[in-house]
Amino acid sequence: MDLINLFMLLAPLVLLVAIGGVRVGTRLGLPALLLFLLVGIILGESGVGLQFDDAVIAQGLGYAALTLILAEGGLSTKWEDIRPTIGLSAVLASVGVVVTIGLMTLIGHYALGLPLLLALLFGAVNAGTDAAAVFSVLRGIPLPARVRSALEGESGLNDAPTVLIVAAATAAAVGAPQPGGIPGVALLILGQLVGGIVLGVMLGALGVFVLRRFALPAAGLYPLAALAWAVLAYGIATQISVSGFAAVYICAMVLGNGRLPHRRATQAFAEGTGWLAQIGLFVMLGLLASPSRITWDVVLLGFTAGLFLTFVVRPVAVVLCAVWFRVPWREQAFLSWAGLRGAVPIILATVPMAAQMEDADRLFDVVLVFVIAYTAIQAPSLPWVARRLGLVEDTAATAVTLEPAPLDEQRADLVKVKLTGHCTLEGMPLKHLDLPESADISLVIRAGSAFVPDGHTALQLYDELLVVAPAEHRANVEAYFRGLQTKDPDQGT
């Protein structure tokens, strides 16, 4: 019980500090995820002294957190936004990943002197961009829709292939290669990706059918059901040996675009869950990091490898992918610079550690240095780079968001009144109602259709009225409608 009570003290404290870091990161133009990582390092062996060095648990928790992050990304992705650039996003997430791995393997082995498998794994773990980092930074920059959607689509789609490639490369490094060599590995990965996508579409469509037709007793259950359904896709995929990350992202995207009940609440709940997963993930990775292992050799290798990846490999991969879609050179330049890395490379670096591969700790440390250094450099510079490339205007609006205004913040209440019997309101125009002060009937729902009434609207049996009133007058509104005399004493309003 003492350990549980201590956890109940420390966990919310760390969470509140991390949430405060979101505000700081936003002001600095940095992904708040780096601040979460710093919190974990401070709590770890070189700070407070908490010990955590189990790579197997870290990998499992990392995959679980990434599943929730991808589910949130899918639920919040609008198909109409990414549809024009889905081809470019898919090519960047597949061909771009392969090009990145190939070039980084050559550079790492021949230019940096890394063992061949270590160079291959460094390229593989850093081949994909990070959805959490990309989303958190780009949403504050007024970019053209096609640029934003291409980057967001790429970051959502490239996790699945990179995870499979890293797993296959790690198996080969520890002496358990996939039968069939490189062609066998390629066919296996392709089959798992296609299977995950198909499963995601099927489960997503089934989820939309079920959630739209079965009424739940509480509105708060819909967000839970949608998120659980998306995560279920990951679980089923892992049991039938297809890509769980592809399945969860595609399933969540189908659910998010399926006009589910309480869609806004579902997206808000998923966003909060995604933030919780990101915070927990980066704090855990900070605990796993060992600053005592970060020598100058590791720092130099991380900076040098990142230099090649950022200024050579990423631009080449973008050009080879974008040339088929006639993307203007300015947009190609921004796509190259905005390929942010974050949680995913660090999570994938735990895979060789969990397999006890030789030099796995060194790989993890190099990846950690690379992610921290180049994310801190690239993320704050993205608005400036976008302006220099002529992709935005200083006066342009960054975004327009529409969401229901919480009535509790406005000190107002919404009262729903249904005419369930033959009361005195039947047939009465609204202008003849003697409503309490400041109350107003904002909407009438009649036979399943909603409309905004005017003073001449005559009420009918079974109408539903949505009455908005100041919070302090709610009791008067309720008393007014309850006090109406009915024509039939057995019926009420």
Side-chain angles (χ1 to χ4, degrees):
M1 286 300 298
D2 289 339
L3 288 175
I4 293 176
N5 291 337
L6 181 61
F7 174 80
M8 295 297 288
L9 170 65
L10 293 179
L13 182 61
V14 171
L15 182 60
L16 290 172
V17 170
I19 291 173
V22 176
R23 181 176 179 86
V24 175
T26 301
R27 289 188 172 185
L28 297 177
L30 287 169
L33 310 181
L34 292 183
L35 300 177
F36 305 157
L37 187 67
L38 178 61
V39 170
I41 293 175
I42 292 173
L43 292 173
E45 62 180 40
S46 300
V48 176
L50 297 180
Q51 296 291 327
F52 179 70
D53 57 2
D54 195 321
V56 176
I57 294 178
Q59 180 189 344
L61 293 176
Y63 278 20
L66 186 55
T67 298
L68 293 175
I69 293 169
L70 288 174
E72 185 272 329
L75 287 169
S76 61
T77 297
K78 295 181 179 179
W79 173 246
E80 60 267 23
D81 290 342
I82 70 167
R83 181 171 54 187
T85 59
I86 190 63
L88 175 59
S89 297
V91 172
L92 286 171
S94 54
V95 176
V97 165
V98 173
V99 171
T100 299
I101 294 173
L103 291 178
M104 281 306 301
T105 300
L106 294 175
I107 292 172
H109 182 59
Y110 292 104
L112 303 179
L114 295 175
L116 184 61
L117 282 175
L118 195 64
L120 171 63
L121 278 169
F122 182 83
V125 299
N126 291 291
T129 57
D130 184 70
V134 170
F135 289 170
S136 64
V137 174
L138 292 187
R139 287 172 181 173
I141 306 174
L143 292 169
R146 60 184 178 275
V147 177
R148 183 191 310 278
S149 59
L151 286 167
E152 292 184 353
E154 176 197 9
S155 63
L157 294 171
N158 63 19
D159 289 335
T162 52
V163 167
L164 296 174
I165 294 172
V166 169
T170 301
V174 297
Q178 173 69 27
I182 294 178
V185 171
L187 287 175
L188 176 64
I189 291 175
L190 180 61
Q192 290 186 337
L193 288 175
V194 173
I197 292 171
V198 172
L199 178 65
V201 172
M202 292 173 59
L203 286 178
L206 180 61
V208 171
F209 176 84
V210 172
L211 294 176
R212 289 181 62 181
R213 284 165 176 78
F214 291 89
L216 298 176
L221 293 176
Y222 284 95
L224 283 172
L227 187 61
W229 197 284
V231 175
L232 177 66
Y234 176 88
I236 294 177
T238 58
Q239 296 302 309
I240 61 175
S241 299
V242 298
S243 174
F245 292 124
V248 67
Y249 182 73
I250 297 299
C251 177
M253 187 163 63
V254 174
L255 289 172
N257 289 272
R259 296 182 181 179
L260 296 179
H262 306 285
R263 179 180 175 184
R264 295 286 185 184
T266 298
Q267 291 176 341
F269 176 78
E271 183 179 10
T273 304
W275 274 111
L276 182 61
Q278 293 172 41
I279 292 171
L281 172 61
F282 268 81
V283 171
M284 179 201 68
L285 293 175
L287 287 170
L288 185 64
S290 180
S292 61
R293 295 200 309 257
I294 308 296
T295 63
W296 284 112
D297 289 341
V298 170
V299 172
L300 180 61
L301 184 57
F303 267 92
T304 306
L307 195 68
F308 280 111
L309 180 59
T310 304
F311 292 95
V312 178
V313 175
R314 171 70 179 180
V316 170
V318 168
V319 169
L320 291 177
C321 295
V323 67
W324 307 101
F325 299 91
R326 299 182 179 179
V327 178
W329 73 266
R330 289 183 176 85
E331 295 182 9
Q332 292 186 36
F334 189 82
L335 291 173
S336 301
W337 186 245
L340 300 178
R341 270 67 182 178
V344 175
I346 305 177
I347 295 171
L348 294 181
T350 65
V351 176
M353 292 177 67
Q356 299 182 345
M357 190 192 88
E358 186 179 357
D359 286 333
D361 289 348
R362 186 183 181 205
L363 174 66
F364 180 89
D365 296 336
V366 171
V367 171
L368 185 67
V369 169
F370 161 70
V371 169
I372 293 175
Y374 283 89
T375 302
I377 293 171
Q378 289 176 268
S381 67
L382 285 178
W384 179 83
V385 172
R387 286 195 297 270
R388 293 291 295 177
L389 292 172
L391 297 179
V392 298
E393 297 178 1
D394 291 332
T395 57
T398 58
V400 175
T401 58
L402 301 176
E403 59 180 336
L407 291 178
D408 54 347
E409 293 184 5
Q410 316 302 326
R411 297 188 56 81
D413 284 334
L414 184 66
V415 180
K416 182 178 179 181
V417 180
K418 185 173 182 180
L419 309 187
T420 58
H422 298 280
C423 66
T424 56
L425 291 181
E426 187 179 3
M428 180 182 295
L430 292 186
K431 63 181 181 181
H432 292 161
L433 293 182
D434 187 19
L435 288 173
E437 180 182 0
S438 301
D440 185 58
I441 298 176
S442 60
L443 200 68
V444 173
I445 303 173
R446 178 177 295 166
S449 299
F451 62 94
V452 178
D454 58 27
H456 299 286
T457 300
L459 296 176
Q460 298 180 11
L461 183 63
Y462 304 120
D463 278 354
E464 295 181 42
L465 317 179
L466 299 186
V467 184
V468 180
E472 59 269 23
H473 295 154
R474 174 177 175 172
N476 295 335
V477 172
E478 292 179 350
Y480 170 75
F481 283 103
R482 287 197 183 102
L484 294 173
Q485 298 296 317
T486 62
K487 296 178 180 179
D488 184 343
D490 293 330
Q491 301 290 335
T493 302

